[in-house]
């Protein structure tokens, strides 16, 4: 099975812009995904030129690129999931991001969706969580967008899951965050997001910057993505 999955992924994911890994998600998934125990964590590298242009808020180019990459990733997860299904492997693609209309009251109270792509990616051993709650890929830092495919056939993770942050004493993202959303505490799998990062402060500032800089009603910022020395 693992070789079928690898062949499907290799055929659909050009190695210069995509990376993927296998994750054991047993015990980690919300009840609506309970028939699945494994995931393919999918990473799309972002364009350095577009990310480098972000200095004090979102640019129009970043806004357009954000939609383009979401669409590409969503297509990939749908294609991979349906090819796996045709091979008899139950699979469910989880899109890159969610529309506001798909989100319930719980989400609006907590800003927690029922599936974390970052969790699948740390379980696949592809990176860790940084001080502003971004997934930091071992290869590209935070300059990535993520998506996942849940599967019910057993796959063996090829990398060791990463359980703690490797950011050390670096605090460039914390110091650069215009919302002051992070307190500098290092992540590990026992540290909840809210202990080191305030998503409401982040969202409020993202909305404000998106209005001011690009006149769009969206929550974009990208400063923490751009400044991280691991991605530069
Ligand atoms: C809700 C949401 C938001 C909210 C809340 C953000 C937040 N940090 O929680 C708001 C609107 C503020 C937001 C803003 C942004 N977002 Co957003 N957002 C999401 C979304 C839809 C769900 C995230 C969620 O539910 N978080 C809830 C918390 C609890 O989970 P988490 O943050 O994902 O990760 C925790 C767990 O995974 C845990 N964990 C990790 N591994 C393991 C392993 C074990 C065993 C355990 C127990 C726990 C554990 O560690 C993390 C911290 O506790 C995801 C897409 C998705 N479905 O994942 C995108 C996503 C997180 N957003 C993303 C981005 C890029 C942004 C912005 C930069 C916007 C922009 N494009 O300009 C900003 C900056 C946010 C920031 N610094 O975190 C990217 C992040 C890419 C990356 N490199 O990390 C994602 C993954 C979208 C994507 N497809 O790539 N976002």
């Amino acid at each position: 099975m693992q070789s079928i999955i690898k062949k499907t992924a290799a055929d659909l994911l050009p190695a210069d812009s995509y990376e993927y890994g296998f994750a054991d998600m047993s015990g980690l998934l919300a009840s609506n995904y309970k028939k699945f125990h494994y995931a393919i964590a999918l990473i799309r590298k972002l364009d350095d030129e577009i990310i480098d242009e972000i200095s004090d808020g979102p640019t129009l180019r970043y806004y357009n690129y954000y939609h383009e990459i979401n669409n590409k990733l969503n297509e990939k997860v749908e294609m991979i999931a349906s090819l796996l299904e045709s091979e008899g492997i139950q699979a469910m693609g989880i899109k890159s991001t969610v529309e506001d209309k798909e989100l319930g009251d719980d989400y609006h109270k907590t800003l927690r969706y029922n599936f974390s792509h970052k969790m699948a990616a740390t379980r696949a051993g592809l990176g860790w969580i940084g001080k502003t709650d971004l997934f930091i890929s071992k290869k590209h830092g935070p300059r990535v967008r993520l998506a996942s495919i849940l599967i019910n056939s057993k796959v063996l993770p090829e990398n060791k899951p990463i359980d703690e942050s490797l950011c050390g004493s670096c605090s460039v993202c914390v110091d650069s965050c215009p919302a002051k959303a992070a307190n500098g505490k290092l992540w590990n799998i026992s540290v909840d997001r809210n202990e080191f990062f305030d998503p409401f402060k982040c969202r409020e500032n993202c909305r404000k910057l998106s209005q001011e800089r690009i006149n769009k009603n969206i929550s974009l910022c990208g400063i923490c993505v751009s400044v991280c020395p691991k991605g530069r």
Side-chain angles (χ1 to χ4, degrees):
M1 281 300 178
Q2 190 136 346
S3 59
I4 296 177
I5 299 171
K6 284 180 86 162
K7 171 144 191 357
T8 307
D11 287 348
L12 289 174
L13 304 170
D16 56 345
S17 40
Y18 290 92
E19 198 191 343
Y20 70 91
F22 297 124
D24 184 348
M25 301 298 284
S26 308
L28 296 172
L29 293 173
S31 56
N32 37 334
Y33 305 115
K34 66 173 182 289
K35 71 175 178 184
F36 299 102
H37 297 281
Y38 298 90
I40 306 170
L42 193 59
I43 291 187
R44 173 67 156 80
K45 163 86 179 83
L46 297 178
D47 185 286
D48 281 321
E49 208 185 287
I50 295 174
I51 301 301
D52 284 342
E53 277 173 8
I54 300 171
S55 61
D56 55 3
T59 61
L60 212 44
R61 208 142 83 106
Y62 179 55
Y63 169 83
N64 290 326
Y65 188 60
Y66 166 87
H67 291 292
E68 180 192 321
I69 296 297
N70 279 346
N71 291 340
K72 283 195 176 145
L73 269 170
N74 295 345
E75 264 172 37
K76 295 285 182 196
V77 293
E78 287 306 317
M79 278 161 78
I80 295 172
S82 70
L83 279 169
L84 294 180
E85 288 272 345
S86 70
E87 296 283 353
I89 299 169
Q90 276 197 323
M92 179 183 186
I94 312 269
K95 286 191 205 156
S96 178
T97 198
V98 261
E99 307 279 320
D100 257 7
K101 60 177 188 285
E102 298 169 63
L103 297 162
D105 285 353
D106 270 6
Y107 171 81
H108 294 288
K109 282 186 208 136
T110 61
L111 294 185
R112 285 171 197 262
Y113 184 53
N114 63 23
F115 183 84
S116 166
H117 290 309
K118 292 181 232 174
M119 187 189 279
T122 71
R123 294 309 79 203
L126 299 174
W128 62 91
I129 307 294
K131 288 183 181 168
T132 45
D133 197 30
L134 289 176
F135 173 75
I136 312 294
S137 129
K138 289 194 286 196
K139 280 195 186 158
H140 310 295
R143 294 174 173 222
V144 291
R145 264 193 99 69
L146 309 172
S148 313
I149 299 122
L150 296 176
I151 44 179
N152 73 351
S153 97
K154 183 167 175 155
V155 281
L156 299 173
E158 293 172 336
N159 303 306
K160 208 170 151 292
I162 298 181
D163 290 346
E164 59 184 21
S165 170
L166 298 179
C167 291
S169 59
C170 178
S171 64
V172 171
C173 63
V174 178
D175 299 339
S176 311
C177 173
K180 304 211 178 323
N183 62 20
K185 186 172 175 172
L186 281 169
W187 169 84
N188 68 57
I189 54 169
S190 315
V191 175
D192 184 68
R193 174 196 65 186
N194 294 8
E195 290 177 51
F196 64 97
F197 183 76
D198 183 335
F200 289 95
K201 281 190 184 169
C202 171
R203 185 178 64 172
E204 192 187 327
N205 211 71
C206 285
R207 283 179 170 167
K208 183 169 154 268
L209 286 177
S210 302
Q211 275 299 340
E212 283 173 9
R213 302 291 145 86
I214 53 173
N215 197 22
K216 301 283 180 194
N217 186 18
I218 192 169
S219 303
L220 284 188
C221 171
I223 294 174
C224 54
V225 182
S226 174
V227 296
C228 174
K230 179 81 186 149
R232 286 201 159 227

